[in-house]
Amino acid sequence: MTLYIVVPCYNEEAVLPETSRRLAEKLETLEKAGKISPASRVLFVDDGSKDRTWELISALHRRDPRFGGVKLSRNRGHQNALLAGLMTAKDCADAVISMDADLQDDVDAIDRMVDAFAQGFDIVYGVRSSRRTDTFFKRATAQGFYKFMKLMGVDIVYNHADFRLMSRRALEGLSDYEEVNLFLRGIVPLIGYPSTTVEYERAERFAGESKYPLKKMLAFAFDGITSFSVKPIRWVTAAGFLIFVASILALIYILVVKLLGFAVAGWSATTASIWLLGGLELLGLGVIGEYVGKIYTEVKSRPRYLIEAVELTPGVIQPRESGTEQ
């Protein structure tokens, strides 16, 4: 089988030499074991980096044809950069593994992913076995995110990020999903081909700084929710219905009190009601506006990414052995 490893990069010059060294060793090990063909490659995707990332990728390609690179015209975000790499590798490989450049994803788990692919699985998810390396806040928010996504009805693999193997057939299926608001963790499970998981221990970042601070993580989570679930809008509708029922009951109460002659001017109750209803209205408008905004970006059908340069020496894909057809 021909394997491609797709690695999105954004300002990763500090970690790229070590990442390329470890991945080269992994390709050699798998090739000697007869699990992958010499046509297998590592494909780095430069997501508009401001440092020497593309320069290092180009140098790697000139020195070793097993390394290739895709340079996006500007920074498009991790999900778009990952998709660009997957779509570039799709027609060159039997299977593609995506992983981050920071070496937090366990390179040795690739062996088990390849074995699972050989057993007939189209998608193999890399799942964290624990979160011991996370801070309490990061662990609590991450676990809360997955549980909340499940509550929203999103089919998402628990403790899985973007470390996964996908067959060419699965990638063909992924290419049919044309939405601009990408959330691959939610899209990939929708493809529906045979899948399994591989557990691994996530390591500390080898070098450099995290590209996902809290602000970006929250935005990413909110994008995931609004891209795959309409429950927030339904909650706004339910809240509106409950407030309507409460207002009818309050109106009846006011009329009864008025008829009995016990009406007293209630400044506090009136003020509280105005603030409550005003806040709920603004919240509802905000949620609905978020969905309208996503519709706006989708209907414009702008390209999700533009590729400025590609440096890749594709090998010849070896024919699949009988009995291993996906």
Side-chain angles (χ1 to χ4, degrees):
M1 65 165 285
T2 299
L3 175 70
Y4 270 51
I5 302 175
V6 171
V7 186
C9 304
Y10 179 66
N11 295 342
E12 297 289 3
E13 66 173 344
V15 73
L16 207 53
E18 180 64 18
T19 301
S20 59
R21 184 187 69 80
R22 293 192 193 182
L23 290 178
E25 290 178 354
K26 180 54 60 179
L27 289 183
E28 290 173 5
T29 301
L30 291 171
E31 186 179 337
K32 288 179 180 177
K35 294 183 177 181
I36 63 173
S37 75
S40 300
R41 300 286 186 265
V42 176
L43 184 64
F44 293 107
V45 183
D46 179 19
D47 185 22
S49 298
K50 297 180 176 62
D51 60 2
R52 297 175 55 250
T53 295
W54 180 247
E55 182 181 332
L56 293 177
I57 293 172
S58 297
L60 282 169
H61 173 68
R62 290 193 298 270
R63 187 169 67 246
D64 187 341
R66 292 178 301 176
F67 292 103
V70 173
K71 179 179 174 59
L72 302 189
S73 60
R74 67 180 184 89
N75 179 253
R76 293 294 301 166
H78 178 271
Q79 298 290 281
N80 285 301
L82 177 54
L83 184 69
L86 293 175
M87 293 301 102
T88 301
K90 173 171 63 70
D91 297 324
C92 304
D94 297 307
V96 178
I97 290 178
S98 59
M99 63 181 296
D100 291 338
D102 55 16
L103 293 176
Q104 289 188 284
D105 296 329
D106 185 9
V107 175
D108 291 330
I110 292 175
D111 299 68
R112 286 175 285 149
M113 288 182 169
V114 171
D115 291 340
F117 172 75
Q119 294 169 11
F121 292 101
D122 285 274
I123 304 172
V124 185
Y125 300 100
V127 175
R128 296 182 63 168
S129 57
S130 68
R131 287 187 171 271
R132 291 180 296 178
T133 58
D134 289 348
T135 63
F136 172 78
F137 178 77
K138 177 69 179 294
R139 183 166 54 252
T141 53
Q143 292 174 343
F145 165 72
Y146 287 106
K147 291 177 181 178
F148 189 71
M149 291 293 283
K150 285 288 187 182
L151 178 65
M152 292 290 100
V154 181
D155 185 12
I156 189 170
V157 179
Y158 188 72
N159 271 345
H160 164 71
D162 288 300
F163 185 30
R164 70 177 74 89
L165 176 146
M166 298 181 70
S167 69
R168 191 192 306 178
R169 180 171 71 158
L171 289 171
E172 291 287 357
L174 177 62
S175 67
D176 290 334
Y177 289 82
E178 300 179 350
E179 54 246 59
V180 175
N181 300 286
L182 278 179
F183 185 69
L184 293 176
R185 299 182 200 184
I187 294 176
V188 173
L190 296 178
I191 295 173
Y193 293 132
S195 64
T196 188
T197 60
V198 165
E199 289 192 350
Y200 72 99
E201 190 73 28
R202 191 167 174 84
E204 296 283 353
R205 167 176 269 272
F206 179 80
E209 298 178 352
S210 172
K211 307 305 184 297
Y212 261 86
L214 179 60
K215 182 179 178 181
K216 277 192 174 182
M217 287 177 61
L218 291 174
F220 182 65
F222 195 67
D223 281 344
I225 293 168
T226 53
S227 295
F228 283 85
S229 176
V230 295
K231 281 192 176 182
I233 289 183
R234 290 175 180 170
W235 286 358
V236 171
T237 303
F241 177 76
L242 291 175
I243 292 173
F244 173 74
V245 172
S247 66
I248 295 298
L249 295 176
L251 179 61
I252 294 172
Y253 171 76
I254 291 170
L255 290 174
V256 170
V257 171
K258 180 71 173 177
L259 292 173
L260 294 177
F262 297 115
V264 178
W267 178 86
S268 299
T270 303
T271 304
S273 299
I274 291 172
W275 279 97
L276 175 62
L277 293 175
L280 287 174
E281 287 176 357
L282 289 175
L283 174 63
L285 287 173
V287 171
I288 295 170
E290 185 68 27
Y291 281 92
V292 172
K294 286 193 176 296
I295 294 171
Y296 176 64
T297 56
E298 291 289 344
V299 298
K300 287 188 292 186
S301 299
R302 290 179 177 175
R304 292 173 289 191
Y305 56 84
L306 293 174
I307 295 177
E308 180 179 332
V310 176
E311 293 194 1
L312 180 64
T313 307
V316 178
I317 300 178
Q318 300 297 320
R320 301 288 300 279
E321 296 180 4
S322 60
T324 60
E325 192 68 24
Q326 296 295 319

